[in-house]
Amino acid sequence: MQPLTHQQLQILHNSGRHALEESLGLTLSNWQVDEFYQKEIDDAMINFWLPKTLANPDQFIWYTDWEIILKAENLAIGGMGFNGEPNDLGEAEAGYMIEEGHQGKGYATEALKLMSHWALGKEGINSVIVHTYESNLPSVRILEKCCFKQFKRTDEGLLSFRLNNDQYR
Protein backbone atom coordinates (compact mmCIF):
# COMPACT_ATOMS: atom_id res chain seq x y z
CA MET A 1 0.00 0.00 0.00
CA GLN A 2 1.29 3.40 -0.98
CA PRO A 3 -0.25 6.59 0.44
CA LEU A 4 -0.13 9.28 -2.25
CA THR A 5 1.42 12.64 -1.47
CA HIS A 6 -0.23 15.85 -2.61
CA GLN A 7 2.19 15.99 -5.54
CA GLN A 8 1.35 12.42 -6.58
CA LEU A 9 -2.37 13.20 -6.38
CA GLN A 10 -1.75 16.19 -8.66
CA ILE A 11 -0.07 13.90 -11.19
CA LEU A 12 -3.02 11.53 -11.07
CA HIS A 13 -5.54 14.37 -11.41
CA ASN A 14 -3.73 16.39 -14.07
CA SER A 15 -1.99 13.70 -16.13
CA GLY A 16 -3.93 10.51 -15.44
CA ARG A 17 -3.40 7.06 -13.99
CA HIS A 18 -0.60 5.99 -16.34
CA ALA A 19 1.45 9.08 -15.48
CA LEU A 20 1.05 8.32 -11.76
CA GLU A 21 1.96 4.67 -12.27
CA GLU A 22 5.06 5.65 -14.27
CA SER A 23 6.11 8.08 -11.53
CA LEU A 24 5.75 5.28 -8.94
CA GLY A 25 7.65 2.78 -11.12
CA LEU A 26 4.59 0.54 -11.44
CA THR A 27 3.40 -1.63 -14.30
CA LEU A 28 0.84 0.33 -16.30
CA SER A 29 -2.70 -0.80 -15.53
CA ASN A 30 -5.91 -0.94 -17.50
CA TRP A 31 -8.33 0.11 -14.77
CA GLN A 32 -12.02 -0.59 -15.17
CA VAL A 33 -14.14 1.15 -12.55
CA ASP A 34 -17.92 1.23 -12.26
CA GLU A 35 -19.31 4.67 -13.16
CA PHE A 36 -20.78 5.15 -9.66
CA TYR A 37 -17.39 4.62 -8.02
CA GLN A 38 -15.56 6.69 -10.63
CA LYS A 39 -17.82 9.63 -9.75
CA GLU A 40 -16.99 9.11 -6.07
CA ILE A 41 -13.27 9.00 -6.87
CA ASP A 42 -13.48 12.17 -8.99
CA ASP A 43 -15.42 13.96 -6.26
CA ALA A 44 -12.94 12.83 -3.58
CA MET A 45 -10.02 14.04 -5.70
CA ILE A 46 -11.38 17.56 -6.19
CA ASN A 47 -13.22 18.13 -2.93
CA PHE A 48 -11.19 16.13 -0.43
CA TRP A 49 -7.82 14.61 -1.37
CA LEU A 50 -6.25 17.59 -3.13
CA PRO A 51 -7.42 20.36 -0.76
CA LYS A 52 -6.96 18.33 2.42
CA THR A 53 -3.47 16.99 1.62
CA LEU A 54 -2.41 20.53 0.72
CA ALA A 55 -3.83 21.91 3.99
CA ASN A 56 -2.50 19.04 6.14
CA PRO A 57 0.93 18.08 4.76
CA ASP A 58 2.14 16.57 8.05
CA GLN A 59 -0.98 14.39 8.38
CA PHE A 60 -1.61 13.75 4.66
CA ILE A 61 -1.95 9.99 5.20
CA TRP A 62 -5.37 10.59 6.78
CA TYR A 63 -6.57 12.60 3.77
CA THR A 64 -5.24 10.75 0.74
CA ASP A 65 -5.76 7.77 -1.48
CA TRP A 66 -3.60 4.78 -0.61
CA GLU A 67 -2.85 2.80 -3.75
CA ILE A 68 -3.27 -0.93 -3.25
CA ILE A 69 -0.36 -2.53 -5.09
CA LEU A 70 -0.19 -6.18 -6.06
CA LYS A 71 3.49 -6.85 -5.35
CA ALA A 72 3.77 -9.95 -7.55
CA GLU A 73 2.87 -7.87 -10.62
CA ASN A 74 4.01 -4.42 -9.39
CA LEU A 75 0.51 -3.27 -10.31
CA ALA A 76 -1.95 -0.85 -8.67
CA ILE A 77 -5.24 -2.70 -8.28
CA GLY A 78 -7.30 -0.40 -6.09
CA GLY A 79 -7.44 2.40 -3.61
CA MET A 80 -8.23 2.85 0.04
CA GLY A 81 -8.22 5.74 2.41
CA PHE A 82 -9.49 7.50 5.49
CA ASN A 83 -12.04 10.27 5.70
CA GLY A 84 -9.67 12.48 7.65
CA GLU A 85 -8.02 12.21 11.02
CA PRO A 86 -9.79 10.26 13.77
CA ASN A 87 -12.60 12.11 15.55
CA ASP A 88 -12.72 12.95 19.27
CA LEU A 89 -13.98 9.43 20.02
CA GLY A 90 -10.93 7.89 18.35
CA GLU A 91 -12.90 6.70 15.32
CA ALA A 92 -11.21 6.61 11.92
CA GLU A 93 -13.55 6.27 8.95
CA ALA A 94 -12.24 4.34 5.94
CA GLY A 95 -13.30 3.37 2.43
CA TYR A 96 -11.93 1.17 -0.35
CA MET A 97 -12.31 0.22 -3.99
CA ILE A 98 -10.79 -2.56 -6.10
CA GLU A 99 -10.46 -2.32 -9.87
CA GLU A 100 -13.07 -4.58 -11.54
CA GLY A 101 -10.56 -7.04 -13.01
CA HIS A 102 -9.12 -7.78 -9.56
CA GLN A 103 -12.32 -8.06 -7.55
CA GLY A 104 -13.26 -11.30 -5.85
CA LYS A 105 -9.68 -12.38 -5.23
CA GLY A 106 -9.32 -11.39 -1.57
CA TYR A 107 -7.27 -8.24 -2.21
CA ALA A 108 -9.76 -5.86 -0.57
CA THR A 109 -9.94 -8.11 2.49
CA GLU A 110 -6.16 -8.21 2.81
CA ALA A 111 -5.81 -4.45 2.29
CA LEU A 112 -8.60 -3.58 4.73
CA LYS A 113 -7.07 -5.81 7.40
CA LEU A 114 -3.67 -4.21 6.86
CA MET A 115 -4.97 -0.64 6.94
CA SER A 116 -7.29 -1.25 9.90
CA HIS A 117 -4.54 -2.85 11.96
CA TRP A 118 -2.20 0.01 11.07
CA ALA A 119 -4.78 2.58 12.21
CA LEU A 120 -5.74 0.70 15.37
CA GLY A 121 -2.07 0.50 16.30
CA LYS A 122 -1.92 4.30 16.48
CA GLU A 123 -2.27 5.97 19.85
CA GLY A 124 -5.79 7.21 20.57
CA ILE A 125 -7.54 5.28 17.81
CA ASN A 126 -10.29 3.08 19.19
CA SER A 127 -12.12 1.94 16.07
CA VAL A 128 -12.27 1.96 12.29
CA ILE A 129 -15.65 2.57 10.67
CA VAL A 130 -16.69 1.69 7.11
CA HIS A 131 -20.01 2.40 5.38
CA THR A 132 -21.45 0.36 2.51
CA TYR A 133 -24.85 -0.26 0.99
CA GLU A 134 -26.62 -3.47 1.96
CA SER A 135 -26.99 -4.20 -1.76
CA ASN A 136 -23.19 -4.31 -2.06
CA LEU A 137 -22.92 -7.90 -0.87
CA PRO A 138 -19.22 -8.33 -1.77
CA SER A 139 -18.35 -5.34 0.43
CA VAL A 140 -20.51 -6.64 3.28
CA ARG A 141 -18.69 -9.99 3.05
CA ILE A 142 -15.30 -8.25 3.09
CA LEU A 143 -16.24 -6.34 6.24
CA GLU A 144 -17.47 -9.50 7.93
CA LYS A 145 -14.26 -11.38 6.99
CA CYS A 146 -12.30 -8.54 8.56
CA CYS A 147 -14.31 -8.90 11.81
CA PHE A 148 -16.18 -5.61 11.41
CA LYS A 149 -19.56 -5.59 13.17
CA GLN A 150 -22.61 -3.81 11.79
CA PHE A 151 -23.90 -1.16 14.19
CA LYS A 152 -26.23 0.99 12.10
CA ARG A 153 -28.57 0.88 9.09
CA THR A 154 -30.31 3.83 7.46
CA ASP A 155 -33.70 3.75 5.74
CA GLU A 156 -31.77 4.11 2.45
CA GLY A 157 -29.94 0.84 3.10
CA LEU A 158 -26.58 2.33 4.09
CA LEU A 159 -24.89 0.04 6.60
CA SER A 160 -22.24 1.16 9.07
CA PHE A 161 -19.65 -1.32 10.33
CA ARG A 162 -17.08 -0.92 13.10
CA LEU A 163 -13.89 -2.71 14.07
CA ASN A 164 -12.94 -1.89 17.64
CA ASN A 165 -9.41 -1.88 18.94
CA ASP A 166 -10.06 -4.88 21.19
CA GLN A 167 -11.51 -6.93 18.27
CA TYR A 168 -8.33 -6.86 16.22
CA ARG A 169 -5.78 -7.71 18.88
Side-chain angles (χ1 to χ4, degrees):
M1 303 220 352
Q2 171 72 46
L4 299 181
T5 65
H6 180 76
Q7 294 74 22
Q8 291 165 332
L9 288 168
Q10 286 180 313
I11 292 169
L12 178 58
H13 179 64
N14 296 327
S15 303
R17 172 144 295 281
H18 284 172
L20 172 67
E21 291 167 345
E22 285 178 355
S23 75
L24 295 173
L26 298 174
T27 302
L28 298 184
S29 68
N30 185 23
W31 274 43
Q32 301 295 314
V33 178
D34 181 90
E35 184 179 339
F36 174 82
Y37 295 111
Q38 189 58 56
K39 286 179 182 176
E40 283 193 352
I41 292 166
D42 294 343
D43 180 63
M45 178 67 76
I46 294 167
N47 296 307
F48 188 79
W49 295 334
L50 284 171
K52 295 289 189 175
T53 57
L54 181 63
N56 300 282
D58 293 338
Q59 295 296 324
F60 81 97
I61 57 175
W62 296 104
Y63 299 97
T64 193
D65 172 46
W66 293 51
E67 291 288 292
I68 301 169
I69 299 169
L70 184 58
K71 287 183 182 180
E73 298 178 32
N74 195 37
L75 182 70
I77 60 167
M80 183 170 275
F82 294 102
N83 191 20
E85 295 177 67
N87 65 22
D88 292 341
L89 300 174
E91 299 168 328
E93 187 176 322
Y96 53 87
M97 187 278 310
I98 298 291
E99 184 272 328
E100 289 179 4
H102 289 88
Q103 292 176 0
K105 299 177 181 178
Y107 299 132
T109 301
E110 182 180 347
L112 183 59
K113 283 180 181 178
L114 179 66
M115 187 171 223
S116 297
H117 292 186
W118 174 86
L120 291 170
K122 299 288 183 193
E123 174 120 7
I125 299 183
N126 301 314
S127 61
V128 175
I129 294 174
V130 177
H131 308 284
T132 193
Y133 285 96
E134 64 185 343
S135 60
N136 189 345
L137 296 179
S139 186
V140 171
R141 283 194 300 273
I142 290 164
L143 291 163
E144 290 171 346
K145 286 181 196 174
C146 292
C147 299
F148 280 71
K149 304 293 182 210
Q150 182 185 334
F151 70 94
K152 186 173 159 185
R153 182 193 181 279
T154 68
D155 290 340
E156 296 79 28
L158 184 65
L159 305 177
S160 298
F161 288 80
R162 172 182 286 127
L163 178 67
N164 289 322
N165 206 328
D166 59 347
Q167 289 173 266
Y168 105 95
R169 291 185 189 262

